[in-house]
Amino acid sequence: MSVKEHHSTVGAIAEAVAEAAHGDLPGTKGHHPISAVIGTAITGGRQNAGTKGYLTAYLKQLESNPLRTKMLTAGTLAGSQELLASWLAKDRNKNGNYFTARVPKMATYGALVSAPLGHFLIWILQKMFQNRKSLRAKILQILVSNLIVAPIQNSVYLVAMAIIAGAKTWKQVQATVRVGFWKVMKVSWLSSPLCLAFAQKFLPEAAWMPFFNLVSFFIGTYINYITKKKRLAALRRKHFGDGAHGDHRHDRERERDRERERHSSPPHGHGPSHGGRPINPTLGSHHGGGPVPPPQDYPSLGQNPRY
């Protein structure tokens, strides 16, 4: 940048700040001129000043670059969903971080698989019912969405989740789809009609896909959180036994050992002994007939297994 261009840019910024300071910038009152100028620049420039800039700029991007905007939106939401669910469930990697290897994988899936597929399917759905505003057409559109679009999207989702979880063979992928398909479809059939009816009534067609992604973000975060909690609970049962019930079981076993010792110990000076104390036949000479020592500390869980 030349010195002349530099001075020109600085002069333009100073002019914009002065305009905002006097309250001449639409939508501002002059209290925070610098932030007003920066916010205006980020949200589409002066032509959008006085409007809801972020939303306006986003909708303009949806109209001018629909696929790219949807890919960025879906990738961000998918990665954030995995990160948020890990934080809620306290699911860390071996380094103790919530940013696990699944976060970038989920972001990649959202941007490169989910968004293009959803963009294409929703485009077909909208083309099929273009200029058809009757109640019958809207109901038919909801039925097509739930009976054709949703099964395709959910099948692709389950295949991608199986691959991200480490499936190596087609049989493993098939097993994942077979087990999870109807569970995912039930969730879709509960939420999709309401979301689509809302979109038909209140949203421009360009905003349908991001809206569906946002709803999926909240539902997916909850389901992911529950799944992680169940997996961590299963790991704890595997390493710690039955939790509190296991502590009571150890207490009962120690009490039984003491009872055996009292009933089976020979009189003093008779029978096998170790250091003048009778040997507990159930424990061997290592314990010397004394109280059973408490169990050692449980080992740490270590690194979570792969999904």
Side-chain angles (χ1 to χ4, degrees), residues 8-300:
S8 176
T9 302
V10 172
I13 294 174
E15 183 181 348
V17 172
E19 181 185 26
H22 289 87
D24 296 332
L25 188 65
T28 64
K29 298 180 179 179
H31 299 313
H32 306 284
I34 295 178
S35 60
V37 170
I38 294 174
T40 301
I42 291 174
T43 55
R46 198 182 189 289
Q47 63 271 21
N48 289 327
T51 65
K52 294 181 179 180
Y54 293 104
L55 182 58
T56 301
Y58 182 77
L59 292 177
K60 281 193 172 183
Q61 285 298 314
L62 275 176
E63 293 175 358
S64 58
N65 300 289
L67 182 57
R68 184 184 68 183
T69 305
K70 291 172 184 177
M71 290 174 67
L72 291 172
T73 302
T76 302
L77 290 176
S80 301
Q81 171 188 313
E82 177 64 26
L83 183 62
L84 180 59
S86 297
W87 176 74
L88 291 173
K90 302 296 184 289
D91 185 15
R92 300 178 176 90
N93 60 14
K94 63 180 180 181
N95 298 319
N97 298 323
Y98 295 118
F99 194 91
T100 64
R102 283 176 61 95
V103 174
K105 292 178 181 178
M106 289 295 294
T108 302
Y109 158 77
L112 302 182
V113 179
S114 176
L117 178 65
H119 172 76
F120 177 70
L121 292 176
I122 295 298
W123 177 79
I124 292 178
L125 184 65
Q126 290 172 344
K127 283 292 183 182
M128 289 174 59
F129 294 91
Q130 192 173 20
N131 300 323
R132 298 172 63 182
K133 305 298 183 181
S134 65
L135 178 61
R136 179 182 177 183
K138 291 182 178 180
I139 294 175
L140 188 59
Q141 188 178 39
I142 292 175
L143 291 175
V144 172
S145 174
N146 281 273
L147 298 178
I148 299 177
V149 175
I152 295 174
Q153 289 180 308
N154 290 336
S155 298
V156 174
Y157 168 78
L158 290 171
V159 170
M161 292 305 101
I163 295 173
I164 290 175
K168 301 297 184 182
T169 64
W170 177 242
K171 287 186 177 180
Q172 291 175 331
V173 174
Q174 281 183 316
T176 301
V177 175
R178 190 181 306 113
V179 170
F181 180 77
W182 289 113
K183 295 179 181 179
V184 176
M185 285 304 304
K186 288 177 183 177
V187 176
S188 295
W189 285 337
L190 287 174
S191 60
S192 179
L194 297 176
C195 293
L196 188 53
F198 180 87
Q200 290 173 339
K201 180 69 175 178
F202 299 107
L203 298 178
E205 290 188 348
W208 282 22
M209 188 62 196
F211 170 69
F212 296 151
N213 285 336
L214 186 62
V215 174
S216 298
F217 168 78
F218 290 107
I219 296 175
T221 299
Y222 174 75
I223 295 175
N224 203 355
Y225 160 73
I226 296 298
T227 302
K228 288 178 182 294
K229 291 289 285 185
K230 289 181 178 179
R231 181 179 63 84
L232 292 174
L235 283 174
R236 292 189 185 97
R237 285 195 298 270
K238 179 180 178 181
H239 287 277
F240 295 129
D242 295 330
H245 297 290
D247 295 336
H248 295 306
R249 186 175 63 249
H250 285 299
D251 292 339
R252 289 195 298 269
E253 289 176 355
R254 286 195 290 270
E255 186 63 32
R256 283 198 297 268
D257 289 335
R258 294 191 187 99
E259 288 295 329
R260 291 195 195 99
E261 181 184 345
R262 286 196 293 268
H263 290 295
S264 61
S265 297
H268 181 66
H270 297 82
S273 65
H274 181 74
R277 291 174 297 176
I279 298 175
N280 187 337
T282 63
L283 298 176
S285 62
H286 174 72
H287 294 285
V292 179
Q296 296 181 352
D297 291 338
Y298 293 114
S300 61

